Structures are given as C-alpha cells and as structure tokens.
Amino acid sequence: MTAATPTGTGLAQGWCALSLLHGTIEAQVERALQAGHGLSVREFSLLDVLSRQHSGPGGHLQMKQVADAVVLSQSATTRLVTRLEDRGLLNRYLCETDRRGIYTDVTPDGLALLDAARPTNDTALRAALDRAARNPDLEPLVRAVELLGPGSDRQRPPEATR
C-alpha cells in the first residue's frame, strides 16, 4: 500500500481527525495547567465537575456520575479523588440518608485553585483551537466545538470569528 492509497472510510477518517483534535488540545491545555497551577487536565475537570454540585435534591453526584463526567473508570476516578483529597483540595463524607453513599466536595483551597486555573484553561483552550483551525482537516471540527458552548460567539475574540 502506498501513501496515496486511501486507508479508511470517511467515518474512520473523521474519527482520526477528532482524535487528533482532542489529543492536540488536551496536550496544550495540560502543559498550561501543569505549568501555572500544578494541575492535570483530569484534575481540573474533576474539580470543575464537583464545584458545580449543590446541596439540594439530586445536587451531589455519585462516584459513577463523576467518573462519567470526567471520562474515567470508577476506580481511576477514586484514585484521582484520593490524590486531590491528599492535597487538601477535596474532602469526602458519608451521605446522611444512605450510609453506603460517599460524597465528595471541593474544599475552599480547591475552589481557590480552580478559580485561579480557569483563565489559564480558557486561554490555552482558545489558543489550541485557533492553532487547530489552521489545519483544513480540523477546521470543521473546531467550528463544531465552538458552536457547542452557550454564548460561544460572545466569548470568541473578534480576530477568531469567521
């Protein structure tokens, strides 16, 4: 097979482009978060998901829901929670109505770190998307990602609009 021979279906090629976009963005955001705040992308995502919980009915997430939200297995999520708890960024406690349930909340230190890291995450994400948009194979995917967020047109800098 030569380099010019098509090697996959349009669906497979689309998946490869999406995977490339994700990997490229995640690597750039990871470097920025690590350098600026000592956080991995997964740690940032976990803090972000848990910071959105509330005390009302259904406001606390079960570990499976958290795992799904950060796209990790339950065991990997538990290990991640433990690492962040050891750093004083999270705490765990038993559910008052179901002693088998364990909730995880972000501590004040965790919220402060998350607040400090959000602009770094947003800036690195924007830069990664802008860079990816220069690749003709990735540009349509970048546009699709930009359309997913609420108010995405208002958040984009004028030079990034098409």
Short mmCIF file of all heavy atoms in Angstrom, two decimals, residues 81-111:
data_model
loop_
_atom_site.label_atom_id
_atom_site.label_comp_id
_atom_site.label_asym_id
_atom_site.label_seq_id
_atom_site.Cartn_x
_atom_site.Cartn_y
_atom_site.Cartn_z
N VAL A 81 -9.62 11.24 43.06
CA VAL A 81 -10.22 11.91 44.22
C VAL A 81 -9.28 11.79 45.42
O VAL A 81 -9.06 12.78 46.14
CB VAL A 81 -11.62 11.32 44.53
CG1 VAL A 81 -12.09 11.73 45.93
CG2 VAL A 81 -12.63 11.75 43.47
N THR A 82 -8.71 10.63 45.62
CA THR A 82 -7.80 10.42 46.75
C THR A 82 -6.59 11.34 46.65
O THR A 82 -6.18 11.96 47.64
CB THR A 82 -7.36 8.95 46.83
OG1 THR A 82 -8.53 8.14 47.03
CG2 THR A 82 -6.38 8.72 47.96
N ARG A 83 -6.00 11.45 45.45
CA ARG A 83 -4.85 12.34 45.27
C ARG A 83 -5.21 13.80 45.59
O ARG A 83 -4.45 14.50 46.26
CB ARG A 83 -4.30 12.25 43.84
CG ARG A 83 -3.47 11.03 43.58
CD ARG A 83 -2.61 11.14 42.33
NE ARG A 83 -3.30 11.59 41.13
CZ ARG A 83 -3.89 10.79 40.26
NH1 ARG A 83 -3.91 9.49 40.44
NH2 ARG A 83 -4.47 11.30 39.18
N LEU A 84 -6.35 14.24 45.10
CA LEU A 84 -6.76 15.62 45.36
C LEU A 84 -7.17 15.82 46.82
O LEU A 84 -6.95 16.90 47.39
CB LEU A 84 -7.88 16.04 44.41
CG LEU A 84 -7.48 16.14 42.94
CD1 LEU A 84 -8.68 16.48 42.07
CD2 LEU A 84 -6.37 17.14 42.74
N GLU A 85 -7.71 14.80 47.44
CA GLU A 85 -8.03 14.87 48.86
C GLU A 85 -6.73 14.98 49.68
O GLU A 85 -6.65 15.77 50.62
CB GLU A 85 -8.83 13.64 49.29
CG GLU A 85 -9.32 13.69 50.71
CD GLU A 85 -10.16 12.48 51.08
OE1 GLU A 85 -9.85 11.36 50.60
OE2 GLU A 85 -11.11 12.65 51.86
N ASP A 86 -5.72 14.20 49.29
CA ASP A 86 -4.42 14.26 49.97
C ASP A 86 -3.79 15.65 49.86
O ASP A 86 -3.03 16.06 50.73
CB ASP A 86 -3.46 13.21 49.42
CG ASP A 86 -3.86 11.78 49.79
OD1 ASP A 86 -4.72 11.61 50.69
OD2 ASP A 86 -3.32 10.83 49.17
N ARG A 87 -4.10 16.36 48.79
CA ARG A 87 -3.58 17.71 48.59
C ARG A 87 -4.45 18.78 49.28
O ARG A 87 -4.15 19.97 49.21
CB ARG A 87 -3.49 18.02 47.09
CG ARG A 87 -2.40 17.24 46.38
CD ARG A 87 -2.42 17.43 44.88
NE ARG A 87 -2.26 18.83 44.47
CZ ARG A 87 -2.40 19.25 43.22
NH1 ARG A 87 -2.70 18.38 42.26
NH2 ARG A 87 -2.24 20.52 42.92
N GLY A 88 -5.53 18.34 49.91
CA GLY A 88 -6.41 19.28 50.60
C GLY A 88 -7.37 20.01 49.69
O GLY A 88 -7.96 21.03 50.09
N LEU A 89 -7.58 19.51 48.48
CA LEU A 89 -8.44 20.18 47.51
C LEU A 89 -9.87 19.63 47.51
O LEU A 89 -10.78 20.29 47.02
CB LEU A 89 -7.83 20.08 46.11
CG LEU A 89 -6.41 20.64 45.98
CD1 LEU A 89 -5.85 20.36 44.59
CD2 LEU A 89 -6.37 22.12 46.31
N LEU A 90 -10.03 18.42 48.03
CA LEU A 90 -11.34 17.77 48.12
C LEU A 90 -11.49 17.17 49.50
O LEU A 90 -10.50 16.90 50.18
CB LEU A 90 -11.46 16.63 47.10
CG LEU A 90 -11.38 16.95 45.62
CD1 LEU A 90 -11.44 15.66 44.81
CD2 LEU A 90 -12.49 17.89 45.20
N ASN A 91 -12.74 16.93 49.90
CA ASN A 91 -12.99 16.11 51.08
C ASN A 91 -14.17 15.20 50.80
O ASN A 91 -15.01 15.51 49.97
CB ASN A 91 -13.19 16.96 52.35
CG ASN A 91 -14.36 17.88 52.27
OD1 ASN A 91 -15.43 17.52 51.78
ND2 ASN A 91 -14.20 19.10 52.75
N ARG A 92 -14.17 14.07 51.49
CA ARG A 92 -15.24 13.07 51.33
C ARG A 92 -15.98 12.92 52.65
O ARG A 92 -15.39 13.06 53.72
CB ARG A 92 -14.66 11.72 50.94
CG ARG A 92 -14.18 11.65 49.53
CD ARG A 92 -13.78 10.25 49.20
NE ARG A 92 -12.33 10.14 49.28
CZ ARG A 92 -11.62 9.22 48.67
NH1 ARG A 92 -12.22 8.30 47.96
NH2 ARG A 92 -10.32 9.18 48.78
N TYR A 93 -17.27 12.62 52.54
CA TYR A 93 -18.06 12.36 53.73
C TYR A 93 -19.22 11.44 53.37
O TYR A 93 -19.60 11.33 52.19
CB TYR A 93 -18.55 13.67 54.36
CG TYR A 93 -19.41 14.51 53.46
CD1 TYR A 93 -20.80 14.41 53.50
CD2 TYR A 93 -18.84 15.40 52.55
CE1 TYR A 93 -21.58 15.17 52.66
CE2 TYR A 93 -19.63 16.17 51.72
CZ TYR A 93 -21.00 16.06 51.78
OH TYR A 93 -21.78 16.81 50.95
N LEU A 94 -19.77 10.79 54.38
CA LEU A 94 -20.88 9.86 54.17
C LEU A 94 -22.18 10.60 53.93
O LEU A 94 -22.45 11.64 54.55
CB LEU A 94 -21.04 8.94 55.38
CG LEU A 94 -19.91 7.95 55.63
CD1 LEU A 94 -20.16 7.20 56.94
CD2 LEU A 94 -19.78 6.98 54.48
N CYS A 95 -22.98 10.07 53.06
CA CYS A 95 -24.32 10.59 52.79
C CYS A 95 -25.17 10.42 54.05
O CYS A 95 -25.14 9.36 54.69
CB CYS A 95 -24.93 9.83 51.61
SG CYS A 95 -26.66 10.20 51.31
N GLU A 96 -25.91 11.45 54.42
CA GLU A 96 -26.72 11.40 55.63
C GLU A 96 -27.87 10.41 55.52
O GLU A 96 -28.29 9.82 56.51
CB GLU A 96 -27.28 12.79 55.95
CG GLU A 96 -26.22 13.77 56.38
CD GLU A 96 -26.80 15.15 56.65
OE1 GLU A 96 -28.03 15.30 56.71
OE2 GLU A 96 -25.99 16.08 56.79
N THR A 97 -28.41 10.21 54.31
CA THR A 97 -29.58 9.35 54.15
C THR A 97 -29.22 7.93 53.71
O THR A 97 -30.05 7.04 53.81
CB THR A 97 -30.55 9.96 53.12
OG1 THR A 97 -29.87 10.13 51.88
CG2 THR A 97 -31.09 11.29 53.62
N ASP A 98 -28.02 7.71 53.22
CA ASP A 98 -27.59 6.38 52.77
C ASP A 98 -26.14 6.21 53.18
O ASP A 98 -25.24 6.70 52.49
CB ASP A 98 -27.76 6.25 51.26
CG ASP A 98 -27.33 4.89 50.73
OD1 ASP A 98 -26.87 4.04 51.54
OD2 ASP A 98 -27.42 4.68 49.51
N ARG A 99 -25.90 5.53 54.28
CA ARG A 99 -24.55 5.42 54.82
C ARG A 99 -23.59 4.70 53.88
O ARG A 99 -22.39 4.70 54.10
CB ARG A 99 -24.57 4.69 56.18
CG ARG A 99 -25.44 5.38 57.22
CD ARG A 99 -25.04 6.79 57.47
NE ARG A 99 -23.92 6.86 58.40
CZ ARG A 99 -23.35 7.98 58.79
NH1 ARG A 99 -23.80 9.12 58.35
NH2 ARG A 99 -22.35 7.96 59.60
N ARG A 100 -24.11 4.08 52.83
CA ARG A 100 -23.23 3.46 51.84
C ARG A 100 -22.69 4.49 50.85
O ARG A 100 -21.68 4.28 50.21
CB ARG A 100 -23.97 2.36 51.07
CG ARG A 100 -24.38 1.20 51.94
CD ARG A 100 -25.30 0.29 51.18
NE ARG A 100 -26.52 1.04 50.85
CZ ARG A 100 -27.48 0.64 50.05
NH1 ARG A 100 -27.38 -0.52 49.46
NH2 ARG A 100 -28.54 1.37 49.81
N GLY A 101 -23.40 5.61 50.73
CA GLY A 101 -23.01 6.64 49.77
C GLY A 101 -21.92 7.55 50.32
O GLY A 101 -21.93 7.91 51.49
N ILE A 102 -21.00 7.88 49.49
CA ILE A 102 -19.93 8.81 49.86
C ILE A 102 -19.97 9.98 48.89
O ILE A 102 -19.99 9.78 47.67
CB ILE A 102 -18.55 8.13 49.81
CG1 ILE A 102 -18.50 6.97 50.81
CG2 ILE A 102 -17.44 9.13 50.10
CD1 ILE A 102 -17.22 6.17 50.75
N TYR A 103 -20.00 11.18 49.45
CA TYR A 103 -19.98 12.39 48.64
C TYR A 103 -18.58 12.99 48.67
O TYR A 103 -17.83 12.80 49.62
CB TYR A 103 -20.97 13.42 49.17
CG TYR A 103 -22.42 13.06 48.96
CD1 TYR A 103 -23.36 13.42 49.90
CD2 TYR A 103 -22.85 12.40 47.82
CE1 TYR A 103 -24.71 13.13 49.72
CE2 TYR A 103 -24.18 12.10 47.63
CZ TYR A 103 -25.11 12.47 48.58
OH TYR A 103 -26.42 12.18 48.39
N THR A 104 -18.29 13.75 47.66
CA THR A 104 -17.01 14.45 47.57
C THR A 104 -17.31 15.92 47.28
O THR A 104 -18.06 16.22 46.36
CB THR A 104 -16.15 13.86 46.44
OG1 THR A 104 -15.98 12.47 46.66
CG2 THR A 104 -14.80 14.52 46.40
N ASP A 105 -16.73 16.79 48.07
CA ASP A 105 -16.89 18.23 47.87
C ASP A 105 -15.53 18.88 47.67
O ASP A 105 -14.52 18.41 48.19
CB ASP A 105 -17.56 18.89 49.08
CG ASP A 105 -19.07 18.71 49.08
OD1 ASP A 105 -19.65 18.48 48.01
OD2 ASP A 105 -19.67 18.81 50.16
N VAL A 106 -15.53 19.98 46.97
CA VAL A 106 -14.32 20.76 46.78
C VAL A 106 -14.13 21.64 48.01
O VAL A 106 -15.07 22.28 48.47
CB VAL A 106 -14.42 21.64 45.50
CG1 VAL A 106 -13.13 22.40 45.26
CG2 VAL A 106 -14.76 20.78 44.28
N THR A 107 -12.93 21.65 48.54
CA THR A 107 -12.62 22.48 49.72
C THR A 107 -12.43 23.94 49.28
O THR A 107 -12.29 24.22 48.08
CB THR A 107 -11.32 22.01 50.39
OG1 THR A 107 -10.23 22.21 49.48
CG2 THR A 107 -11.40 20.55 50.81
N PRO A 108 -12.40 24.86 50.22
CA PRO A 108 -12.10 26.25 49.86
C PRO A 108 -10.77 26.39 49.11
O PRO A 108 -10.68 27.17 48.16
CB PRO A 108 -12.08 26.97 51.21
CG PRO A 108 -13.05 26.18 52.05
CD PRO A 108 -12.81 24.75 51.65
N ASP A 109 -9.74 25.64 49.52
CA ASP A 109 -8.47 25.67 48.79
C ASP A 109 -8.64 25.16 47.35
O ASP A 109 -8.04 25.69 46.42
CB ASP A 109 -7.40 24.84 49.50
CG ASP A 109 -6.86 25.51 50.75
OD1 ASP A 109 -7.14 26.71 50.95
OD2 ASP A 109 -6.17 24.82 51.52
N GLY A 110 -9.46 24.12 47.21
CA GLY A 110 -9.72 23.58 45.88
C GLY A 110 -10.46 24.58 45.00
O GLY A 110 -10.15 24.73 43.81
N LEU A 111 -11.44 25.26 45.58
CA LEU A 111 -12.18 26.28 44.83
C LEU A 111 -11.28 27.44 44.44
O LEU A 111 -11.38 27.95 43.31
CB LEU A 111 -13.37 26.79 45.65
CG LEU A 111 -14.52 25.81 45.84
CD1 LEU A 111 -15.55 26.38 46.82
CD2 LEU A 111 -15.17 25.47 44.50
#
